[in-house]
């Protein structure tokens, strides 16, 4: 691999204008596709095939054609002034006027008054009207929304408190806003400090932005075909930007090192891509495999997120291997340090911060190992209390009208009103369908924890019915989850008694089923990822114990990250500092997605850091000296890369999207733990204790494993003729 990438680096360096032109064409083509593509849509059906709530949802779509229409809705909540009721003459007149004016709008299918629908609370303080549109929320124009807001404003002027839930006026959350820009700015500062050169700092940022631009344009171009959402693109940009900067950073850093060692620009570019580029390929491969592996979880949305993010990582790898050496070819000396440009002698690499830290760990490996493991173990403890769910309007800021509408409905109608259960009764095999449905509704209504049930609605064939059951507790309350399980446990007896069966669905039941399925899949997926790490690193490092150590470190960092997420977002520790309005269950998709990404990032640092140690070891250094050598050459760059990732991921904590905020925080702390505790402390401590045994590999396994030469040992011999140029005949120092 190293030799092939060496050739690629030299070719990109020499054919720099062609390479740059190709990337400009690719970016332009993707941008044109994005501009011409229709708006993306995701109908949300078959969110997670196989769970009961999804089966019931599909049955409703089959037996009640049109019942799953996805037109926009607005639930307008009215709260009377203190001491008054919404049924008072003046308040009722204002509400009726709003309903009448809303129903006259061209795209409104119907507007239902609370006084005809019975949507008034028992104490008369609260009511709600429902406005249904014929088109999706994305198809509503600013004029359509302004018309509804005008009628709402008139109702507020009458003295009523009016809030709006639903999809019609809901604002799309910003991806990261100013916080994301701050993250990129911090990355620029870190690069400048690391390299001491504006060109060297700017090149990784430039190539990363170009790579993310290409990826995002491609996602937008394909959005309507594959139903890719805003969140999908946000996560792809998050990961693409972070790894794009890091991968370019490692190639540029190695190029500077080779130039400082006296190599000509083209040769240095080839060596940088052949050595650091090999690590980039394997690091990128681990991220891609982990993200693509999300397809086995069985959640289409999670599959889309994983594949889009994997595509962004592939683009980042290709940019690092081709565009970075091409740009180095345009300005071969601009990225160099002042000492190298002046041809000043390079001081002997006897020590720097990285090597001093390595020697510190090597002198007391047991203490460092124990402190690292115990510290991460303590941080991981909250993960044992992980609760998964799908936070809704209750997780939005209290400044949003959706959150205030949610709270007003909960105050007026009870906590469970915001998460009713939908019961679909299949009475095809019942002798008397209506009698069977009445019996089932009566039994469910008598279940502890059910406040009320609605009247049943039959389909045209009269063999299927729908009704709702309102729980006494909120959508994410543990009592609501117990209630769903209790209702389902009654199914067998009711089926024997009536001949009809039923299933529970609705947003609350759907979220409960998804959370349960994903929580059950978390441990198997984590096991698959760990086995994958062992196999990949076994091939990369040709060692049995190094992969085991890496997998153990990954487990510690990911569990510590999950524990931190639980402490902040579920328990509420320091939640206000991050803009988390209300603590609650962790987004169901988040833990599995976090495991996949953290695996890839953890293997990034493992490959980049330990590859330099193995490089020194195979060139004759003693085991402990190889650890020091690896830290001397890689520690500063790995630290810079980690800080950049933390800065980029932290920027997404400012997102208005709950899942993006949670994942941004989880990834930031995971990188912090993995880079600074696991890779910088645990890794050298374990290698110090193992000594030469760390690189032990059975002879029979050595013969079986493929040789990928990540450390670039093959470049110590003269490379073959490349494009009419003969590589230097003296041995190449790597």
């Amino acid at each position: 691999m190293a030799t092939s990438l060496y050739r690629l680096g030299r070719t990109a360096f020499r054919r720099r204008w062609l390479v740059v032109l190709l990337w400009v064409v690719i970016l332009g083509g993707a941008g044109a596709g994005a501009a011409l593509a229709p708006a993306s849509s995701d109908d949300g059906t078959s969110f997670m095939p196989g769970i009961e709530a999804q089966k019931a949802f599909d049955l409703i779509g089959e037996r009640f054609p049109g019942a799953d229409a996805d037109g926009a809705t607005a639930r307008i909540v009215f709260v009377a002034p203190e001491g008054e009721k919404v049924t008072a003459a003046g308040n009722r007149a204002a509400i009726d006027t709003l309903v009448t004016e809303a129903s006259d709008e061209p795209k409104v299918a119907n507007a239902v008054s609370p006084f005809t629908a019975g949507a008034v609370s028992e104490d008369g303080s609260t009511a709600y009207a429902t406005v249904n549109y014929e088109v999706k929320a994305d198809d509503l124009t600013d004029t359509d929304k302004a018309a509804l807001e005008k009628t709402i404003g008139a109702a507020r002027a009458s003295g009523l408190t009016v809030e709006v839930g639903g999809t019609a006026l809901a604002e799309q959350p910003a991806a990261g806003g100013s916080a994301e820009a701050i993250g990129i700015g911090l990355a620029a500062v870190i690069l400048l400090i690391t390299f001491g050169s504006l060109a060297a700092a700017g090149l990784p940022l430039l190539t990363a932005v170009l790579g993310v631009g290409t990826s995002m344009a491609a996602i937008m171009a394909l959005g309507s075909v594959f139903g890719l959402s805003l969140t999908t693109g946000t996560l792809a940009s998050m990961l693409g930007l972070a790894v794009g900067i890091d991968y370019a950073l490692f190639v540029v850093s190695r190029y500077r090192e080779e130039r400082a060692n006296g190599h000509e620009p083209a040769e240095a570019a080839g060596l940088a891509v052949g050595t650091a580029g090999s690590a980039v390929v394997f690091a990128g491969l681990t991220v891609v495999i982990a993200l693509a592996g999300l397809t086995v979880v069985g959640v289409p949305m999670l599959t889309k997120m994983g594949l889009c993010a994997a595509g962004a990582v592939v683009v980042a790898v290709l940019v690092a291997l081709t565009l970075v050496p091409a740009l180095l070819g345009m300005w071969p000396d601009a990225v160099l340090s002042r000492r190298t440009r002046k041809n000043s002698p390079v001081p002997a690499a006897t020590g720097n911060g990285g090597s001093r830290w390595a020697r510190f760990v090597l002198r007391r490996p047991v203490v460092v190992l124990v402190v690292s493991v115990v510290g991460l173990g303590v941080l991981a403890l909250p993960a044992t209390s992980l609760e998964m769910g799908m936070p809704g309007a209750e997780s939005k800021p209290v400044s949003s009208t959706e959150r205030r509408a949610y709270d007003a409905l909960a105050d007026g109608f009870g906590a469970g009103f915001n998460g009713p259960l939908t019961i679909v009764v299949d009475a095809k095999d019942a002798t008397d369908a209506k009698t069977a449905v009445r019996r089932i509704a009566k039994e469910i209504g008598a279940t502890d924890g059910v406040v009320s049930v609605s009247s049943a609605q039959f389909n045209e064939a009269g063999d299927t019915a729908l009704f709702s059951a309102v729980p006494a507790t909120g959508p994410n309350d543990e009592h609501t989850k117990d209630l769903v399980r209790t209702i389902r446990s009654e199914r067998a007896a009711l089926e024997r008694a009536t001949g009809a069966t039923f299933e529970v669905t609705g947003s609350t039941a759907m979220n409960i089923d998804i959370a349960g399925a994903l929580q059950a899949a978390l441990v198997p997926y984590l096991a698959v990822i760990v086995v994958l790490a062992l196999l990949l690193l076994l091939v990369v490092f040709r060692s049995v114990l190094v992969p085991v150590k890496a997998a153990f470190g990954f487990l510690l960092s990911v569990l510590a990250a999950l524990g931190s997420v639980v402490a902040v977002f579920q328990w509420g520790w320091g939640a206000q500092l991050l803009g988390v309005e209300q603590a609650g269950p962790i987004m169901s998709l988040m833990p599995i997605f976090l495991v996949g990404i953290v695996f890839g990032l953890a293997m990034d640092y493992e490959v980049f850091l330990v590859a330099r140690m193995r490089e020194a070891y195979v060139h004759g250094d003693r085991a402990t000296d190889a650890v020091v050598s690896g830290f001397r050459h890689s520690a500063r760059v790995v630290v810079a890369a980690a800080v950049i990732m933390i800065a980029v991921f932290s920027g997404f904590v400012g997102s208005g999207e709950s899942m993006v905020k949670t994942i941004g925080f989880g990834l930031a702390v995971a990188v912090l733990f993995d880079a600074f505790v696991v890779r910088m402390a645990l890794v050298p401590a374990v290698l110090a204790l193992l000594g030469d045994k760390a690189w032990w590999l059975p002879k029979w396994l050595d013969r079986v494993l493929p040789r990928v030469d990540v450390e670039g040992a093959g470049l110590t011999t003269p490379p073959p003729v490349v494009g009419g140029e003969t590589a230097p005949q003296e041995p190449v120092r790597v």
Side-chain angles (χ1 to χ4, degrees):
M1 176 186 290
T3 303
S4 299
L5 292 177
Y6 167 85
R7 295 192 186 102
L8 177 62
R10 285 181 62 92
T11 301
F13 186 95
R14 291 186 298 106
R15 307 290 184 187
R16 44 192 172 272
W17 288 107
L18 176 61
V19 172
V20 172
L21 178 61
L22 285 174
W23 275 108
V24 170
V25 170
I26 292 172
L27 177 60
L36 298 175
S40 63
S41 63
D42 188 356
D43 57 16
T45 58
S46 298
F47 182 89
M48 191 172 185
I51 59 177
E52 177 176 326
Q54 183 65 58
K55 293 177 181 177
F57 187 81
D58 294 340
L59 180 63
I60 293 173
E62 176 187 340
R63 303 283 179 88
F64 293 83
D68 59 345
D70 53 359
T73 61
R75 176 177 280 182
I76 306 173
V77 184
F78 307 93
V79 180
E82 188 174 355
E84 298 183 18
K85 295 185 177 182
V86 292
T87 53
N91 294 333
R92 180 163 186 157
I95 294 172
D96 286 338
T97 300
L98 182 150
V99 172
T100 301
E101 292 181 356
S103 62
D104 292 337
E105 293 300 317
K107 294 179 183 178
V108 173
N110 58 70
V112 183
S113 169
F115 306 111
T116 59
V120 180
S121 64
E122 289 186 6
D123 62 3
S125 65
T126 310
Y128 67 90
T130 304
V131 180
N132 297 307
Y133 287 83
E134 298 173 348
V135 298
K136 298 178 181 180
D138 291 342
D139 296 327
L140 291 176
T141 64
D142 291 339
T143 302
D144 299 326
K145 296 178 181 180
L148 181 60
E149 289 170 346
K150 181 180 178 181
T151 62
I152 292 172
R156 285 173 176 157
S158 70
L160 289 167
T161 298
V162 186
E163 305 297 347
V164 188
T167 59
L169 298 183
E171 295 183 1
Q172 290 293 339
S178 59
E180 182 181 352
I182 292 173
I184 296 176
L186 287 174
V189 173
I190 295 162
L191 287 168
L192 184 59
I193 294 173
T194 302
F195 287 132
S197 163
L198 284 174
L203 193 149
L205 284 174
L206 173 64
T207 55
V209 169
L210 187 145
V212 170
T214 302
S215 302
M216 294 303 298
I219 290 172
M220 293 174 62
L222 299 173
S224 61
V225 178
F226 298 104
L228 307 180
S229 66
L230 173 68
T231 301
T232 301
T234 300
L235 295 173
S237 69
M238 178 195 301
L239 196 57
L241 182 63
V243 300
I245 294 174
D246 277 7
Y247 294 166
L249 169 63
F250 282 104
V251 173
V252 172
S253 177
R254 191 60 185 254
Y255 172 82
R256 283 161 53 98
E257 183 180 330
E258 297 301 337
R259 286 295 305 276
N261 289 335
H263 291 293
E264 293 298 319
E267 181 68 12
L271 290 172
V273 176
T275 51
S278 296
V280 165
V281 169
F282 255 90
L285 180 62
T286 59
V287 182
V288 168
I289 292 176
L291 293 171
L294 293 170
T295 58
V296 304
V297 178
V299 183
M301 179 182 176
L302 198 59
T303 297
K304 293 173 185 177
M305 290 181 184
L307 293 179
C308 286
V313 173
V314 169
V315 172
V317 171
L318 294 176
V319 166
L321 299 180
T322 58
L323 184 60
V324 169
L327 293 178
L328 289 174
M330 291 183 172
W331 300 282
D333 296 332
V335 299
L336 302 180
S337 64
R338 185 177 291 105
R339 177 185 289 112
T340 305
R341 286 198 299 268
K342 293 181 177 179
N343 293 319
S344 301
V346 181
T350 55
N352 56 21
S355 60
R356 286 191 293 272
W357 170 253
R359 292 191 182 97
F360 171 84
V361 176
L362 292 176
R363 286 194 298 269
R364 47 189 67 80
V366 175
V367 174
V368 172
L369 179 60
V370 170
V371 171
S372 301
V373 173
V374 171
L376 292 176
V378 171
L379 290 170
L381 287 177
T384 59
S385 301
L386 174 66
E387 295 178 10
M388 295 164 63
M390 296 291 283
E394 77 280 5
S395 65
K396 293 181 178 293
V398 292
S399 59
S400 69
T401 186
E402 295 99 321
R403 169 65 184 276
R404 294 196 297 269
Y406 179 97
D407 292 342
L409 288 172
D411 292 340
F413 296 90
F417 184 82
N418 286 298
L421 306 176
T422 300
I423 315 297
V424 53
V425 182
D426 186 352
K428 265 190 172 183
D429 298 329
T431 304
D432 186 339
K434 291 187 177 180
T435 300
V437 171
R438 280 197 298 270
R439 171 74 181 275
I440 291 172
K442 181 180 179 181
E443 293 293 334
I444 291 177
T447 304
D448 289 341
V450 174
V451 175
S452 64
V453 294
S454 66
S455 300
Q457 172 191 354
F458 283 84
N459 65 343
E460 291 185 4
D463 59 5
T464 309
L466 285 175
F467 65 89
S468 62
V470 178
T473 50
N476 288 308
D477 195 291
E478 282 298 316
H479 291 92
T480 304
K481 298 178 184 179
D482 294 337
L483 174 63
V484 171
R485 286 190 284 267
T486 300
I487 292 175
R488 287 171 174 171
S489 69
E490 299 171 350
R491 179 165 43 213
L494 285 172
E495 185 175 0
R496 287 192 299 269
T498 64
T501 187
F502 67 87
E503 291 176 324
V504 184
T505 187
S507 60
T508 299
M510 183 75 77
N511 293 340
I512 291 171
D513 288 354
I514 290 171
L518 290 177
Q519 195 149 6
L522 181 59
V523 173
Y525 179 66
L526 187 58
V528 169
I529 289 296
V530 170
V531 171
L532 182 61
L534 292 172
L535 294 177
L536 282 174
L537 296 180
L538 184 65
V539 173
V540 174
F541 295 124
R542 309 189 69 79
S543 163
V544 173
L545 297 179
V546 168
V548 172
K549 174 266 304 172
F552 175 69
F554 158 68
L555 279 175
L556 282 177
S557 59
V558 75
L559 291 176
L562 278 176
S564 301
V565 169
V566 170
V568 173
F569 291 89
Q570 183 177 311
W571 293 355
W573 293 1
Q576 292 184 346
L577 298 176
L578 300 179
V580 179
E581 295 289 337
Q582 182 169 326
I586 304 303
M587 185 79 68
S588 298
L589 298 174
M590 185 267 173
I592 285 183
F593 200 74
L594 179 66
V595 167
I597 296 179
V598 172
F599 165 75
L601 299 182
M603 295 307 105
D604 272 5
Y605 298 124
E606 181 73 13
V607 171
F608 288 134
L609 186 60
V610 181
R612 290 306 293 261
M613 298 179 190
R614 176 164 176 79
E615 181 178 333
Y617 185 76
V618 299
H619 284 82
D621 283 7
R622 293 187 305 123
T624 53
D625 292 339
V627 173
V628 176
S629 178
F631 268 80
R632 181 171 60 247
H633 289 101
S634 300
R636 186 177 69 156
V637 180
V638 169
V639 167
V643 175
I644 288 170
M645 278 203 177
I646 292 170
V648 172
F649 290 147
S650 297
F652 287 87
V653 176
S655 170
E657 176 62 42
S658 176
M659 182 174 182
V660 176
K661 180 190 292 287
T662 309
I663 289 182
F665 173 81
L667 290 177
V669 297
V671 171
L672 176 67
F673 298 151
D674 193 83
F676 292 99
V677 181
V678 173
R679 309 304 154 189
M680 290 292 167
L682 188 145
V683 166
V686 172
L687 292 179
L689 294 173
L690 292 176
D692 290 324
K693 295 178 182 178
W695 308 106
W696 171 77
L697 184 69
K699 292 183 179 179
W700 66 269
L701 190 56
D702 183 56
R703 292 191 297 269
V704 173
L705 290 179
R707 295 184 179 274
V708 294
D709 190 20
V710 174
E711 65 274 3
L715 298 181
T716 58
T717 57
V721 174
V722 181
E725 294 184 6
T726 303
Q729 296 302 306
E730 72 276 11
V732 178
R733 180 186 182 279
V734 294

